């Protein structure tokens, strides 16, 4: 597999991460402080949107598994067809409609559409890994290229969005007059005193959405021109595709897959909680209102740089051993919550980037090994790859949606009020728990489950030899 093919494949996945990163870091604070909807309604938008994307996963897997081979492949047509609609739904997700009463329905509709359409992209794109090459090293290398570009895409999305929209969340009223930051005045001090500001802030968000839409088009063109999808190399002409429901039942009984999914379900929820609440934490709980965009960039630069290093590490010491790096963020996040210091915040951001890179690379690097293991146990079936990938994305999205929904509902319960300089002590405590304690518990539970993951480096080599013989 040529370096050019790996690079084009990797670039194709970056736009989804650019848009997803901007939404993960900024959608919650946009809904609360720009659209001025209540935290409860924001939690509904976040949870139902994620849930709609999760529900689309098995549906996408079902239809894709029944797709016929075309001149450009079986998976590529799905990737190309959903892209224009994804761009439109993303753009309107950041649009402030002129009416007030129906805003919740507006954002719910377009967030659900965006999540569902990104799923229709993500399932065939991620399953495409299995049809690039038959060699495990090639696939691992392509996955490392992909994760490097996806983390870079996450960085670009957060940096573009953060730099463009930062002025919408930095209020001179809060920074110039420190006397408003008292617990006596938190409830009646607006951070946006100028009535014309919401409109100008909306224009800023629309500019950011337009820029990211352009990145989408560029990435998809590179993917289409630079990647050739291969047919299933192990299937005989007499083999028949596994029916979706039967295949789903078989995957749910496959031990390595169940353990891998359960582990990273918890870990990805922890990372989503960190992303979804980090800007709110910096703005309201840590006194870092003027630095949040730079902290986000620090996290993602660290992640981009460390993905190739993690790839080298897992090649030498094994994939399960590399999972220990995910836990590095726990003590530093707890320190940031207890000691909200600016220098410490940048150090925590750097370490968190290392951990996030490991949490992104490992599941997508380990999932092809699980698929190979399943193939060895079920040698005369085909079409199961999309079932594995769609159900994995379903579980991780659903868990992330539940986590984000609960976190936003927690802010509603503790009395979060949009557009004020100083939130109540209960809200600040909730943000600290969502950044420190809750992700730490989820990560530790996920790593504990991963200890029982049965595929080792030795068993990977045995599977590779057996599949070569089969081929």
């Amino acid at each position: 597999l040529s370096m050019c093919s790996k690079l084009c494949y990797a670039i194709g996945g970056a736009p989804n991460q650019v848009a997803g990163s901007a939404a993960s870091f900024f959608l919650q604070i946009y809904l609360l402080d720009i659209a001025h909807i209540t935290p409860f309604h924001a939690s509904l938008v976040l949870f139902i949107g994620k849930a709609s994307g999760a529900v689309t996963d098995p549906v996408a897997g079902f239809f894709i598994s029944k797709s016929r081979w075309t001149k450009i492949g079986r998976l590529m047509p799905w990737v190309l067809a959903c892209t224009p609609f994804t761009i439109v739904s993303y753009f309107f997700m950041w649009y402030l409609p002129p009416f007030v009463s129906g805003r919740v329905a507006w954002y719910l509709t377009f967030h659900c559409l965006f999540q569902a359409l990104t799923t229709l992209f993500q399932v065939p794109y991620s399953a495409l890994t299995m049809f690039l090459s038959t060699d495990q090293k090639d696939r691992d290398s392509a996955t490392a290229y992909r994760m490097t570009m996806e983390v870079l895409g996450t960085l670009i999305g957060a940096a573009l969005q953060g730099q463009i929209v930062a002025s919408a969340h930095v209020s001179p009223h809060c920074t110039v007059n420190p006397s408003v930051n008292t617990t006596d005045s938190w409830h009646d001090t607006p951070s946006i005193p100028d009535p014309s500001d919401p409109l100008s802030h909306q224009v800023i968000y629309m500019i950011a959405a337009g820029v990211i839409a352009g990145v989408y088009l560029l990435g998809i063109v590179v993917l289409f021109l630079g990647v050739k999808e291969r047919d299933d190399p192990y299937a005989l002409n007499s083999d028949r595709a596994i029916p979706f429901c039967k295949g789903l039942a078989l995957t749910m009984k496959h031990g390595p897959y169940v353990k891998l999914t359960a582990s990273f379900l918890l870990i990805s929820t922890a990372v989503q909680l960190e992303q979804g609440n980090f800007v709110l934490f910096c703005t309201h709980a840590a006194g870092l209102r003027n630095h949040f965009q730079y902290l986000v960039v620090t996290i993602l630069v660290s992640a981009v740089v460390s993905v190739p290093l993690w790839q080298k590490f897992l090649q030498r010491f094994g994939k399960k051993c590399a999972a220990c790096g995910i836990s590095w963020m726990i003590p530093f996040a707890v320190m940031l919550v207890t000691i909200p210091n600016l220098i410490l915040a940048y150090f925590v951001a750097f370490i968190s980037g290392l951990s996030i890179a490991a949490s992104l690379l490992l599941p997508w690097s380990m999932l092809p090994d699980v698929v190979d293991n399943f193939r060895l146990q079920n040698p005369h079936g085909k079409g199961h790859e999309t079932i594995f990938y769609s159900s994995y994305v379903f579980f991780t999205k659903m868990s992330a949606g539940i986590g984000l929904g609960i976190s936003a509902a927690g802010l509603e319960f503790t009395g979060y009020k949009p557009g004020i300089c100083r939130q109540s002590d209960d809200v600040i405590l909730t943000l600290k728990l969502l950044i420190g304690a809750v992700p730490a518990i989820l990560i530790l539970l996920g790593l504990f489950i991963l200890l029982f993951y049965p595929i080792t480096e030795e068993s990977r080599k045995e599977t590779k030899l057996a599949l070569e013989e089969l081929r």
Side-chain angles (χ1 to χ4, degrees):
L1 192 64
S2 69
M3 183 181 293
C4 180
S5 293
K6 295 176 189 176
L7 192 58
C8 289
Y9 173 66
I11 291 172
N16 231 19
Q17 301 304 314
V18 172
S21 169
S24 294
F25 279 109
F26 293 96
L27 184 58
Q28 182 163 264
I29 197 169
Y30 170 82
L31 294 174
L32 294 173
D33 288 359
I34 305 299
H36 291 289
I37 68 175
T38 66
F40 174 72
H41 288 135
S43 71
L44 287 180
V45 172
L46 294 171
F47 169 68
I48 297 176
K50 286 285 186 181
S52 69
V55 170
T56 309
D57 284 301
V59 176
F62 174 78
F63 285 108
I64 293 169
S65 65
K66 291 184 173 297
S67 300
R68 294 182 178 181
W69 184 265
T70 68
K71 291 182 179 179
I72 59 173
R74 186 164 60 92
L75 303 173
M76 192 69 76
W78 288 88
V79 173
L80 297 177
C82 68
T83 299
F85 302 102
T86 306
I87 292 171
V88 172
S89 64
Y90 178 80
F91 189 78
F92 282 109
M93 193 171 72
W94 300 99
Y95 176 72
L96 188 68
F99 46 85
V100 176
S101 59
R103 281 185 184 175
V104 175
W106 175 277
Y107 291 115
L108 185 60
T109 299
F110 284 104
H111 189 218
C112 288
L113 280 174
F114 173 70
Q115 291 293 339
L117 289 165
T118 53
T119 294
L120 288 175
F121 175 94
Q122 188 68 25
V123 170
Y125 172 77
S126 55
L128 192 58
T129 309
M130 301 301 299
F131 300 98
L132 297 175
S133 172
T134 59
D135 186 74
Q136 286 182 353
K137 287 186 178 180
D138 269 347
R139 292 203 305 256
D140 285 348
S141 178
T143 300
Y145 271 78
R146 170 193 159 193
M147 296 319 300
T148 302
M149 290 304 300
E150 287 195 355
V151 176
L152 183 60
T154 305
L155 167 62
I156 291 170
L160 278 175
Q161 190 87 356
Q163 294 300 320
I164 293 172
V165 309
S167 61
H169 301 287
V170 177
S171 172
H173 187 68
C174 287
T175 55
V176 173
N177 186 6
S179 65
V180 299
N181 288 327
T182 63
T183 53
D184 294 331
S185 60
W186 71 269
H187 60 279
D188 59 4
T189 307
S191 67
I192 308 172
D194 184 354
S196 66
D197 275 352
L199 182 59
S200 63
H201 295 165
Q202 174 56 38
V203 172
I204 290 171
Y205 268 96
M206 295 305 294
I207 292 171
V211 171
I212 290 175
V215 174
Y216 243 113
L217 288 175
L218 178 63
I220 297 305
V221 169
V222 172
L223 176 68
F224 175 67
L225 296 178
V227 174
K228 182 180 180 182
E229 180 183 346
R230 303 170 187 269
D231 204 354
D232 189 339
Y234 300 116
L236 301 173
N237 291 332
S238 59
D239 289 344
R240 293 187 176 183
I242 299 175
F244 182 81
C245 293
K246 180 183 177 181
L248 188 61
L250 288 173
T251 58
M252 292 300 103
K253 295 176 183 176
H254 193 59
Y257 179 70
V258 172
K259 293 180 177 66
L260 179 70
T261 302
S263 172
F264 281 97
L265 181 149
L266 296 169
I267 292 170
S268 65
T269 302
V271 173
Q272 284 286 330
L273 283 173
E274 291 273 358
Q275 284 187 332
N277 293 285
F278 187 76
V279 176
L280 283 170
F281 173 79
C282 291
T283 303
H284 297 298
L288 302 172
R289 183 184 294 269
N290 296 325
H291 295 272
F292 70 79
Q293 67 269 34
Y294 305 113
L295 290 167
V296 168
V297 170
T298 302
I299 292 172
L300 297 173
V301 167
S302 170
V304 171
V305 172
S306 60
V307 166
L309 301 179
W310 281 119
Q311 175 66 13
K312 294 286 186 184
F313 185 93
L314 63 86
Q315 284 178 341
R316 182 166 183 178
F317 299 103
K319 297 177 182 179
K320 286 180 69 174
C321 186
C324 66
I326 300 171
S327 64
W328 291 355
M329 74 167 73
I330 295 174
F332 296 101
V334 173
M335 286 173 63
L336 178 62
V337 166
T338 53
I339 314 169
N341 177 274
L342 180 60
I343 297 175
L344 178 63
Y346 277 99
F347 188 65
V348 170
F350 175 77
I351 298 296
S352 295
L354 300 179
S355 296
I356 288 171
S359 71
L360 291 174
L361 174 64
L362 281 173
W364 295 111
S365 181
M366 297 165 88
L367 198 54
D369 301 335
V370 173
V371 176
D372 280 346
N373 184 272
F374 182 86
R375 158 71 77 179
L376 200 59
Q377 296 180 22
N378 301 270
H380 296 296
K382 63 179 181 179
H384 56 279
E385 295 85 0
T386 53
I387 299 173
F388 273 99
Y389 280 87
S390 63
S391 54
Y392 174 78
V393 178
F394 166 77
F395 287 118
T396 53
K397 278 189 177 180
M398 183 61 79
S399 65
I402 292 171
L404 289 174
I406 291 173
S407 72
L411 293 175
E412 165 81 12
F413 179 76
T414 52
Y416 180 91
K417 295 187 187 321
I420 63 172
C421 293
R422 165 78 178 168
Q423 298 289 341
S424 68
D425 291 338
D426 288 340
V427 172
I428 292 172
L429 177 61
T430 302
L431 288 170
K432 288 181 177 180
L433 291 174
L434 292 172
I435 288 293
V438 177
I441 293 170
L442 292 174
I443 289 172
L444 291 174
L445 285 174
L447 292 176
F448 177 75
I449 294 172
L450 198 62
L451 291 174
F452 302 97
Y453 176 71
I455 297 178
T456 62
E457 296 306 303
E458 285 299 319
S459 64
R460 282 182 69 220
K461 292 177 183 177
E462 293 171 3
T463 300
K464 178 183 177 181
L465 290 173
L467 287 177
E468 286 298 316
E469 181 66 22
L470 177 67
R471 191 166 66 89

